[in-house]
Amino acid sequence: MSGDGTTADDDPLRTAVWRLRSRACWADAAALLSPGTPDAALQRASLLVERCVYTGAGWEEAEDALRTAEAMAHSDEERGAAACERGYLAYAATLFRVRDRADEARAALGRAAALIAPGAPGRALLDFRRGLIAENLTRSPQAARAAYRRAHAGATAHADPLLLSGTWRHLAGLALRDGELTEARHGFAESLRIREELGYLVGTAPALVSLAETETAPEATRLREEARRLFRLLGGVPTWLADQLSPPDAA
């Protein structure tokens, strides 16, 4: 949930990795990265962890890549980033009921917080993931909102639009839960706009579905149809949208 897409100045490898990642081809993107440096090993692990989040599969491969990244990390920043990925993987395994790893998730993110300095680029992603745990595991919306706001400020300061799309979406989800429809619609619309501008296809369908929750027909229907089209295009990813995007005649 971090990254900024590509620009004309990007190197071909980065551009290729981004395009594959955005089209749900995480394994292909990871195959382009040789884990010869701590940065490449961490990036490879991050891609494979993200695949678990979107598909609910590939856990062992993600674990192997993460162990490699952890072994290669030398600086506090590198160790903190690896711990952040460890916490995210454990969170996803818990959320999708693969295995209860909630304690591991909290411990890993706590370790990351001790290693990543306040104000450092990686801190915003860490805050976002701590917000996810507060919202979805601890069931503490107030703590989640505070963490998302810190992440939002950090993503803005460090020009991380993809992460910003995530903070907009999750803050909007909390606003919708509180009945703040206008605020929720604005946040969901901003999230969708950023993902469309970046070409982050795999994250666009969830953004469309979220925005549809704040609209009425026919706009809500149009948004869900577009999400359904993307969902089919990407082979049924993200898998957790399947129930929401079942064809009307299948209901």
Side-chain angles (χ1 to χ4, degrees), residues 169 176 188 192 203-215 220 223-228 231 238 240-241 244-245:
R169 181 164 176 261
L176 184 62
F188 287 141
L192 176 61
T204 300
L208 287 162
V209 170
S210 293
L211 183 57
E213 294 179 13
T214 68
E215 300 286 356
L223 290 167
R224 288 193 180 94
E225 278 301 319
E226 178 63 13
R228 191 173 291 117
F231 181 72
W240 35 264
L241 277 183
Q244 297 177 64
L245 293 178

Side-chain angles (χ1 to χ4, degrees), residues 37-39 41-42 66-83:
T37 66
D39 183 65
L42 181 66
L66 188 50
R67 281 192 289 268
T68 298
E70 289 168 335
M72 296 189 68
H74 299 300
S75 68
D76 282 353
E77 182 180 1
E78 291 165 355
R79 285 191 291 267

Side-chain angles (χ1 to χ4, degrees), residues 46-178:
S46 177
L47 287 166
L48 295 175
V49 170
E50 186 173 84
R51 179 178 65 172
C52 294
V53 174
Y54 278 85
T55 69
W59 302 96
E60 286 302 319
E61 193 172 358
E63 288 281 359
D64 288 345
L66 188 50
R67 281 192 289 268
T68 298
E70 289 168 335
M72 296 189 68
H74 299 300
S75 68
D76 282 353
E77 182 180 1
E78 291 165 355
R79 285 191 291 267
C84 188
E85 291 302 325
R86 167 68 62 190
Y88 192 41
L89 183 63
Y91 158 78
T94 305
L95 188 68
F96 298 132
R97 299 181 180 178
V98 175
R99 184 157 60 90
D100 186 349
R101 298 171 61 180
D103 289 343
E104 180 187 351
R106 294 187 186 96
L109 294 188
R111 199 160 58 247
L115 292 165
I116 302 174
R123 192 76 183 201
L125 181 61
L126 170 61
D127 284 333
F128 178 73
R129 290 175 173 175
R130 296 179 98 174
L132 293 175
I133 287 181
E135 180 181 4
N136 298 312
L137 300 188
T138 309
R139 306 296 179 187
S140 176
Q142 288 185 332
R145 184 178 288 106
Y148 291 148
R149 284 177 175 165
R150 290 195 301 271
H152 193 84
T156 301
H158 294 286
D160 188 340
L162 185 57
L163 179 56
L164 198 61
S165 79
T167 57
W168 272 122
R169 181 164 176 261
H170 283 270
L171 284 168
L174 293 176
L176 184 62
R177 179 185 298 180
D178 291 341

Side-chain angles (χ1 to χ4, degrees), residues 215-238:
E215 300 286 356
T216 57
E219 180 63 8
T221 301
R222 184 193 70 79
L223 290 167
R224 288 193 180 94
E225 278 301 319
E226 178 63 13
R228 191 173 291 117
R229 184 188 69 80
L230 280 173
F231 181 72
R232 289 196 300 263
L233 178 68
L234 295 174
V237 176

